Amino acid sequence: MCATGTPLVSFAHGEIEINRRKGKSWLNWLNGIEYRLFSERVIVNSAANGQLIATTPHLPSGKIQVVHLGLDLEQFQFGETATGSSEELVLGYVGRLEMYCKGVDYLPKLK
């Protein structure tokens, strides 16, 4: 906003925890400066990420807005699957499979 005069909206998608695990906590400090000084609003994808970003770079809660990604499951009817059994677990995943931090390696282990 300082240079262009237009509001800046930032999006935080769990980088704080990823940076910690990779030993790059200094990136959280740097992002915190961007969020506090230059961003009008920071959009996060979950309440957990909102709490994390409020405490790690000490961002005022008034700047944080949660926008959930995904579907409203209330819109769908659940019941028997195509095979006729409602006891079967049917699981879908959309995302990058190489990302270790998403835990996709645990999907085949679900019972």
Side-chain angles (χ1 to χ4, degrees):
M1 185 162 161
C2 296
T4 64
T6 59
L8 174 66
V9 176
S10 298
F11 182 75
H13 191 264
E15 296 93 356
I16 291 173
E17 191 57 38
I18 293 169
N19 290 339
R20 276 190 196 143
R21 279 187 274 175
K22 290 184 175 182
K24 297 182 179 181
S25 293
W26 60 271
L27 281 174
N28 295 334
W29 176 82
L30 191 61
N31 287 337
I33 290 174
E34 173 195 335
Y35 297 151
R36 282 192 309 277
L37 299 180
F38 305 112
S39 298
E40 293 292 316
R41 184 144 339 251
V42 178
I43 298 173
V44 296
N45 62 351
S46 69
N49 273 342
Q51 291 172 350
L52 194 58
I53 200 166
T55 57
T56 300
H58 307 291
L59 191 66
S61 61
K63 281 192 171 188
I64 301 168
Q65 182 173 353
V66 178
V67 176
H68 296 282
L69 304 177
L71 302 172
D72 179 8
L73 297 179
E74 298 290 324
Q75 298 178 34
F76 301 94
Q77 294 180 353
F78 295 97
E80 291 188 9
T81 63
T83 62
S85 170
S86 61
E87 299 298 317
E88 256 182 46
L89 174 65
V90 178
L91 181 67
Y93 174 78
V94 177
R96 292 184 299 236
L97 294 175
E98 79 276 359
M99 295 295 292
Y100 71 90
C101 58
K102 293 183 183 249
V104 295
D105 50 323
Y106 291 106
L107 288 177
K109 298 175 185 175
L110 291 175
K111 291 182 181 184

